[in-house]
Amino acid sequence: MKAKIHITLKPGVLDPQGKAIEGALRGLGFDTVSDVRQGKEIVLTLDETDEAAARAKAEEMCKKLLANPVMENYAIEITA
Amino acid sequence: MKPSVIVFPASNCDRDAAAALEMATGKKPRMVWHGDSELPDTDFIVLPGGFSYGDYLRAGAMAARSPIMRAVVEKARDGTPVLGICNGFQILCEAGLLPGALLRNAGLDFVCRTVALRVENSQSLFTSGFAQGQYVNFPVAHHDGNYFADAETLNRLEGEGRVAFRYVDNPNGSARDIAGVLNEAGNVLGMMPHPERAISPLLGGVDGAAFFRGLLEAA
């Protein structure tokens, strides 16, 4: 199975990179843009063949390493 | 004192920390590689500054899960003093030895200059070389030094006297100007500024030498 893990800063956590990107977009004339937030995506392949098992494994990875619960949220997408 | 300095791939203040410890204690600290799983006989551990593992994933995230950190966490829980400077502070937060996290600097810039700090708690074993409310000057050099924790955690840190240092002029957006925090037991200190880079007039300051002398006297 493949797992796509989206990691985003929690709402309310200052995202200076998002702000800088927003400033650059506005500089290019995209003046309708607001609330830019930057996250990251981690893609990995698991030997597990069962979706629930793969999800449980990815969840454990997020808790132990991939996301920092102090400042980040994560969402997991499992595909074949 | 039997100090040791943990060396991670891309630590870059490990030798500065060793020099500061040697100046204060007269003994060369043991340098311990991150891949080792056991610590030597030690009663003071420093996690130095740098960019361990290239700051991959999050600053300090990979280092906090390296083999030696299991031993460091165990020692810290048993009461051995652990000092994390800059990247070392980030590693302590990632390892769960200190609350909160260090985010990208609010101004986005890498900040590299000497800053003034106020000693908020001179009772800890790390700060006994200073007077309460004393101002000291240490260099900072970081991109991810913006201390963040939820309001409840910040209130608890302040209420329990666990803010060791505060910035006079906040360089990175840190919550409540926090530059260094202690764990609940008081034997773990994480701080973004670099006392080990202020141990000689030749380096632009001597407040760091007082910091390391204070450690020796407290030990």
Side-chain angles (χ1 to χ4, degrees):
Chain A
M1 309 290 292
K2 291 197 185 302
K4 256 191 199 175
I5 298 158
H6 305 271
I7 297 165
T8 47
L9 284 174
K10 286 183 172 174
V13 173
L14 180 71
D15 180 5
Q17 294 182 99
K19 283 220 175 317
I21 293 165
E22 184 174 321
L25 286 172
R26 285 182 170 276
L28 290 170
F30 294 104
D31 49 15
T32 55
V33 73
S34 62
D35 302 329
V36 177
R37 309 280 286 170
Q38 182 183 308
K40 55 191 148 196
E41 182 178 82
I42 296 170
V43 183
L44 50 88
T45 302
L46 290 159
D47 286 344
E48 278 76 0
T49 49
D50 171 70
E51 186 180 334
R55 183 172 295 281
K57 192 58 71 73
E59 183 89 29
E60 195 185 343
M61 290 175 179
C62 287
K63 289 200 170 115
K64 287 194 171 159
L65 174 69
L66 301 179
N68 180 338
V70 175
M71 56 185 179
E72 292 170 331
N73 287 330
Y74 59 84
I76 299 165
E77 206 182 306
I78 304 286
T79 52
Chain B
M1 199 196 256
K2 288 173 282 192
S4 53
V5 177
I6 311 296
V7 185
F8 300 96
S11 289
N12 65 11
C13 299
D14 45 330
R15 282 175 290 176
D16 305 61
L21 286 165
E22 189 177 354
M23 185 187 258
T25 65
K27 273 186 230 155
K28 276 197 193 299
R30 297 283 297 269
M31 307 302 279
V32 185
W33 184 236
H34 74 111
D36 292 351
S37 48
E38 279 179 38
L39 286 161
D41 180 23
T42 182
D43 54 12
F44 192 91
I45 300 166
V46 176
L47 305 183
F51 298 87
S52 58
Y53 295 84
D55 278 352
Y56 289 176
L57 194 62
R58 297 177 304 275
M62 317 296 269
R65 279 105 183 146
S66 62
I68 198 63
M69 282 305 294
R70 282 191 280 275
V72 171
V73 168
E74 206 172 295
K75 275 282 212 183
R77 299 240 151 98
D78 286 344
T80 300
V82 179
L83 167 65
I85 302 167
C86 196
N87 191 216
F89 185 11
Q90 296 161 340
I91 294 167
L92 288 172
C93 289
E94 281 283 345
L97 285 174
L98 290 174
L102 292 139
L103 309 180
R104 180 56 46 99
N105 292 345
L108 270 178
D109 288 331
F110 188 97
V111 182
C112 184
R113 60 169 184 264
T114 295
V115 299
L117 306 171
R118 188 173 185 274
V119 179
E120 295 289 321
N121 175 352
S122 63
Q123 303 301 308
S124 83
L125 72 97
F126 300 96
T127 51
S128 59
F130 300 126
Q132 188 80 16
Q134 184 179 341
Y135 291 95
V136 294
N137 293 298
F138 293 153
V140 291
H142 59 249
H143 210 171
D144 298 277
N146 179 353
Y147 186 70
F148 173 84
D150 59 42
E152 193 187 323
T153 303
L154 293 170
N155 289 341
R156 200 173 68 239
L157 288 173
E158 291 186 321
E160 293 173 358
R162 288 165 58 191
V163 176
F165 297 100
R166 242 187 261 269
Y167 299 108
V168 175
D169 182 14
N170 193 335
N172 54 28
S174 283
R176 304 191 192 175
D177 303 327
I178 290 172
V181 295
L182 295 154
N183 69 341
E184 201 169 355
N187 67 308
V188 177
L189 170 67
M191 59 193 293
M192 288 312 294
H194 289 273
E196 82 285 12
R197 293 195 191 175
I199 56 165
S200 152
L202 278 175
L203 298 173
V206 292
D207 287 345
F211 175 87
F212 283 96
R213 274 199 308 276
L215 290 180
L216 182 63
E217 279 156 27

